[in-house]
Structure formats: structure tokens, C-alpha cells
Amino acid sequence: MRFAWKVFFSTITVVTLAFGIGGTMLISALFQSSLDKEIVMAIQENRYLCFSFQTAVRSLSENQEFNPKSFLRQIDSVVDPRNSDMAIVNRSEVRFSDGPEFAASIAPGKRAVRIVSGNDGTKYVQAVSYIRLSSDDYYLESVSNISSIYTMRQTYVTLYQGILLAVICISSLILLVLTHFLTRPLKQLSITSQKIASGDFSNRAKSRGFGENDEVGMLTRNFNTMADVVEEKIHDLEETARQREDFVASFAHELKTPLTSIIGYADMLRSYDMDASDRFTAANYIFSEGKRLEALSLHLLDLIVLRKQDFPTEMVNCLTFMQECVCILKPLLEKYHQELHTELQPATVMVVPSLLKTMIYNLIDNACKASERNGNIVLKGFISKGRYQICICDHGRGIPPEELSKITEPFYMVDKSRSRSQNGAGLGLTLCQEIALLHGSELKIESQLQKGTTISFTVELVEKDKMEGLQKEGKSRENQSEV
């Protein structure tokens, strides 16, 4: 059953029960009030008759020749003769079938009242008083017809049933309209969710009218927010899937080219009688392609390790650390005939030394490959915005603007032929980006064609107070280890 029908039938049931029970209680209260009034009037009338009767008895009993039986014959002159529902009788003459038993339950000088039904179903209120006259027992009985009260109650019930039916009909029409408007946003949500499930992730639900700021409106906005997040995640997954496909395709291509060369030249060495010069050329091709495959496998291994491990950082002096890096870079600089200049501000940083050395080596290597012979490369380090920023600047070919957003992707190379000739695999900047992320930063690349490229990143700067605390902590650990 739809939610709108559930709301409709639930509300109609509540309205029917509420009006039905409330009307029944109201009619019952009115009926009981009228009945109580008739009973009170019957008691008062019976009491008045008893008083009149006793007054007459006292006035006549002063006569010595007073005879109760003759007095009862004269009672019509004492009591209002128009009251035909009043009688003075003995116990056996009390009206209705169980009258004698009812009279027997009344104590002398007391009275009782009850509701009785006649043979034709007429309702009466019967009041009976016990009167003792000389040695005889008599009962003063008064009976009032109260059928009009029951008739009125039935009239009220019939009238209220009609009113209740009209209320239910009118309420049903109003509820049908209200449930339509109230559940319309939910229907819109259902339609939107079906469209999203079918692949239309850009579809959104709309909230209009008086339901815009209530719970349904909040639900609609939350649903749209959820849809935005889902769409973003789907796009991220699609982008990740695309990158993985590109990665696999590029990886297969990078493997295919050197393997083809290695297999081809190896087959030539095996199958043909070649002179020393040709054998050296073939062996050199095999060696260079093998080195490129080795570099490729090492970079892939580094990427896998970086993404699956959490490396602890160490407190490092920048000047000392950079001097070590310069010493390591000398063979690389001599190979490409480049000069390295350093502009370093003293500071202490928290880094993973081995990874940072790998990162600087790769960035300097890229700078050397992008520069002409006898070029200048600058390594800068300075404090900026509470962190230590490291920059590598070259004056080489530069990178086209449309390529800047792609160069950190695996296997992406701006100049593929030149990169392969230099044993490049397109993984150096990808590896550097991962190392930068491990240090809470990312590569920032600025480049102009034929003017050069600047690549920068930041690492955590150790302030003086924090450095003193870390030094004390290190000393305490050394003392504990000595103990």
C-alpha cells in the first residue's frame, strides 16, 4: 500500500474514532443528565405527596372516630385528583411484575426509586415510599413516563450518525487533497532516486511550496546532498578506473618497446655472425633497454611501497641534509654537464630523509634532462607560511600549459621519444607526488616554454619550542635504553 493511502486511511480511522467516541460520550452525558433530572423530580414529587398525605392524616386523626380505611376512601379529597400516576396501595398492589419484591426491600419511613419498562416498552421512573398507618402497611407510589428521554436519545444518535457520515465524507475529500500535496515531494524523491539508479547521476529532487522548510524539505535537501556526494564519488571512481586503464595500457606499452628491442637484438646476436662493431651496438641497445626496464621496475616498486606503508618522520637540519644531497647529485650533474646552485635558509624540519633524498634526486634528474648542456639548476629552501618550502628551478625547455595537469600521472611523458632515449619511464614525478603527499604537501609546478620550470613543495617546520621538546624526549629515550 502506498504511503499516501496509509496516511489517508490512518487519519480517517482516527477522525472516525475520535468523533464517534466523542459524540457517543456527549449524547450519553446529555441522556444521563436528563434521566437524573427526572429521577430527582420523581423523588421530590413523591416526597411532596408523602408530606401532603401525612399532613392530612394528622389533621384527621384528631377525630376520635378516625378510620384508616374510610380515610383511604377519602384520599381523593386530600391528594390532587389530577395526578392519575399516584396511588396508595398495599405491598401486593405495587405496580409492575416485580413490584411486591421491590416494595419489600424498602425500610419503614424510607423511599426507593427505579427505572422500569412497561409491557409495551414504555419507560417509567417509579418512586415508592413506605407509610405505616395504624397497624397497617401502605406504599405511596408515583410513576412518571420518561419515554421521551429515550426517544430523544435515539433521535440524537440518528442525527449524530448523519453528522459523522458527513464529517467523514468531507474529511476524506480534504485528506485526499492534503495527502496528494504532502506526499508529492516523496513521489519526486522516488522518481529522482529511480533516475539516479538508472545512471542519471545529475538528476536532483526539487522542493516547492509550503513543504520547502519542513522535515520533507530537509529530507529533499539531504537527499540532494547525498546525490552530490554519490555523483562526486562515481566521478572519482570513473577517473580512478580511467587512470588504472591508462596505467595498464602505458605499462604494457612501456614494457613492449624495450622488450621488442631486447628480443630483436638478442636474436640478431644469436642468429647472425656479426663483426665486433655491430655486436657492440646490439649489446649496447640491449643494455640501455635493460637499464630502462630496471628503472621502471624500481619506480613501480617504490610507488607500491609508498602507498602501503606509513613512514615515521625524523627531525633534520636542512643545511646538513642538503649538503648530503648535493654530494649524491654530483655524478648526475657531471653526466648531464649541469651546475647546481643552492640558496638555503637554515631551519629544522620533520621529514623522512631517505624519501626526501629520492624526491630531490628525481626532481634534479628531471631538471637536468629538460636543460641544455652547461645549464644552471637552482635548489632553494626557505620558510614560508609556517612551513619550509623547497624549490627546484631550471632554465630548460619548459612544459606546455595544457600538459601541467597531467605530468604527475603514471607513465605520462611530455616528450616521449626524448624521455625513452634517457631511460625515462614517466614515473618520476608520480613518485615525487606520492612522497610530497606523505609530507603533507603536494607538488606545485610553474613553467613557461623555453624559459624553464619551477617545482616546489613544503615540509613540516620544527619551531624552536617544539624542537627543544623533541630533543628532551630523545635524550630521555636514550637514557632509558642505557638503563
Side-chain angles (χ1 to χ4, degrees):
M1 184 183 292
R2 293 185 176 180
F3 179 71
W5 288 112
K6 289 181 180 179
V7 173
F8 173 77
F9 286 117
S10 299
T11 307
I12 285 297
T13 301
V14 171
V15 169
T16 303
L17 289 175
F19 274 83
I21 294 173
T24 301
M25 294 176 64
L26 178 61
I27 293 173
S28 298
L30 291 173
F31 168 76
Q32 190 62 44
S33 176
S34 300
L35 188 61
D36 291 341
K37 287 181 179 180
E38 291 293 333
I39 292 173
V40 171
M41 289 175 63
I43 293 173
Q44 291 177 348
E45 183 182 12
N46 189 270
R47 183 183 292 114
Y48 172 73
L49 292 173
C50 286
F51 176 76
S52 300
F53 179 77
Q54 291 171 352
T55 301
V57 168
R58 282 196 298 271
S59 64
L60 294 174
S61 62
E62 295 176 355
N63 188 351
Q64 296 180 355
E65 297 180 355
F66 173 72
N67 186 348
K69 293 181 179 181
S70 61
F71 172 75
L72 291 176
R73 287 194 297 266
Q74 299 174 1
I75 194 65
D76 291 339
S77 62
V78 179
V79 182
D80 187 358
R82 294 172 297 175
N83 188 357
S84 59
D85 292 330
M86 187 275 291
I88 299 176
V89 296
N90 55 35
R91 181 181 298 177
S92 61
E93 294 175 340
V94 176
R95 276 180 274 185
F96 303 103
S97 58
D98 59 344
E101 291 81 4
F102 176 64
S105 64
I106 304 173
K110 301 296 182 179
R111 65 177 55 83
V113 65
R114 64 174 181 168
I115 306 297
V116 292
S117 299
N119 294 330
D120 57 353
T122 305
K123 295 292 184 178
Y124 300 94
V125 58
Q126 181 186 29
V128 180
S129 297
Y130 187 169
I131 301 173
R132 192 168 185 81
L133 191 59
S134 296
S135 60
D136 298 323
D137 296 329
Y138 296 95
Y139 295 87
L140 194 155
E141 177 188 47
S142 58
V143 178
S144 300
N145 189 338
I146 57 171
S147 297
S148 60
I149 298 177
Y150 287 87
T151 302
M152 185 178 296
R153 181 180 67 172
Q154 187 58 43
T155 302
Y156 286 158
V157 169
T158 303
L159 178 62
Y160 191 76
Q161 288 175 346
I163 294 174
L164 180 60
L165 182 61
V167 168
I168 293 173
C169 293
I170 296 173
S171 300
S172 300
L173 294 175
I174 296 174
L175 279 173
L176 284 174
V177 176
L178 286 177
T179 52
H180 171 73
F181 282 101
L182 290 175
T183 58
R184 185 169 59 178
L186 299 179
K187 293 178 182 178
Q188 180 66 29
L189 281 177
S190 178
I191 295 172
T192 304
S193 63
Q194 291 174 358
K195 291 181 178 179
I196 292 176
S198 64
D200 185 7
F201 298 106
S202 62
N203 202 287
R204 295 293 181 271
K206 297 180 180 179
S207 178
R208 298 188 181 94
F210 58 87
E212 189 172 354
N213 297 316
D214 60 6
E215 289 81 357
V216 178
M218 293 176 60
L219 176 62
T220 302
R221 289 192 294 273
N222 292 336
F223 178 86
N224 289 336
T225 302
M226 180 192 69
D228 292 337
V229 175
V230 170
E231 184 180 15
E232 182 180 352
K233 296 297 181 183
I234 291 296
H235 288 165
D236 290 343
L237 289 174
E238 291 175 349
E239 181 65 19
T240 301
R242 185 194 63 79
Q243 290 177 355
R244 287 180 179 178
E245 290 177 359
D246 293 344
F247 182 90
V248 173
S250 300
F251 180 64
H253 181 73
E254 292 298 326
L255 286 178
K256 180 181 178 181
T257 303
L259 284 176
T260 301
S261 299
I262 290 171
I263 293 171
Y265 283 109
D267 185 60
M268 289 176 60
L269 290 174
R270 183 188 65 174
S271 304
Y272 299 99
D273 187 13
M274 306 173 65
D275 56 26
S277 176
D278 292 336
R279 282 199 306 272
F280 177 79
T281 301
N284 187 55
Y285 274 116
I286 292 174
F287 175 78
S288 62
E289 293 301 308
K291 292 294 290 183
R292 194 154 73 87
L293 282 177
E294 180 186 31
L296 174 64
S297 62
L298 290 175
H299 278 87
L300 284 175
L301 181 61
D302 289 340
L303 282 175
I304 293 171
V305 171
L306 280 176
R307 292 174 179 175
K308 291 189 175 182
Q309 288 192 20
D310 184 17
F311 297 88
T313 57
E314 299 178 12
M315 189 167 57
V316 172
N317 183 287
C318 281
L319 294 180
T320 304
F321 178 80
M322 291 301 178
Q323 289 173 359
E324 294 177 0
C325 291
V326 171
C327 293
I328 296 172
L329 290 168
K330 282 183 178 180
L332 178 67
L333 296 169
E334 292 175 357
K335 176 183 175 181
Y336 291 102
H337 304 281
Q338 301 290 327
E339 291 187 7
L340 178 65
H341 301 277
T342 58
E343 300 175 8
L344 302 172
Q345 181 178 351
T348 303
V349 295
M350 293 295 292
V351 296
V352 183
S354 59
L355 295 182
L356 189 58
K357 286 180 182 178
T358 300
M359 185 178 185
I360 293 175
Y361 185 91
N362 276 281
L363 293 176
I364 297 294
D365 181 57
N366 286 343
C368 291
K369 292 176 181 178
S371 302
E372 300 295 334
R373 290 171 64 91
N374 301 319
N376 293 319
I377 298 173
V378 181
L379 174 61
K380 298 180 181 179
F382 53 91
I383 298 173
S384 174
K385 298 179 180 180
R387 290 177 67 86
Y388 194 81
Q389 184 168 340
I390 299 174
C391 301
I392 292 91
C393 307
D394 65 62
H395 301 86
R397 295 182 301 276
I399 303 170
E402 63 273 11
E403 308 284 345
L404 287 175
S405 61
K406 304 176 183 178
I407 60 175
T408 57
E409 295 180 5
F411 299 109
Y412 189 84
M413 294 176 281
V414 178
D415 188 348
K416 299 185 184 297
S417 60
R418 187 184 182 99
S419 297
R420 289 196 179 97
S421 67
Q422 297 172 335
N423 292 332
L427 290 173
L429 286 178
T430 305
L431 183 64
C432 292
Q433 178 75 319
E434 292 293 332
I435 296 174
L437 291 174
L438 283 174
H439 286 84
S441 179
E442 60 181 358
L443 294 182
K444 182 179 179 181
I445 304 173
E446 299 175 354
S447 182
Q448 293 183 0
L449 289 175
Q450 307 305 324
K451 291 186 178 182
T453 302
T454 300
I455 300 179
S456 62
F457 61 94
T458 63
V459 295
E460 182 182 357
L461 178 67
V462 181
E463 297 179 359
K464 184 176 179 181
D465 295 340
K466 185 176 180 180
M467 183 171 62
E468 292 177 354
L470 291 173
Q471 290 174 347
K472 291 180 181 179
E473 183 179 351
K475 290 180 180 179
S476 63
R477 287 179 179 176
E478 290 178 359
N479 296 332
Q480 289 178 358
S481 62
E482 290 176 359
V483 174

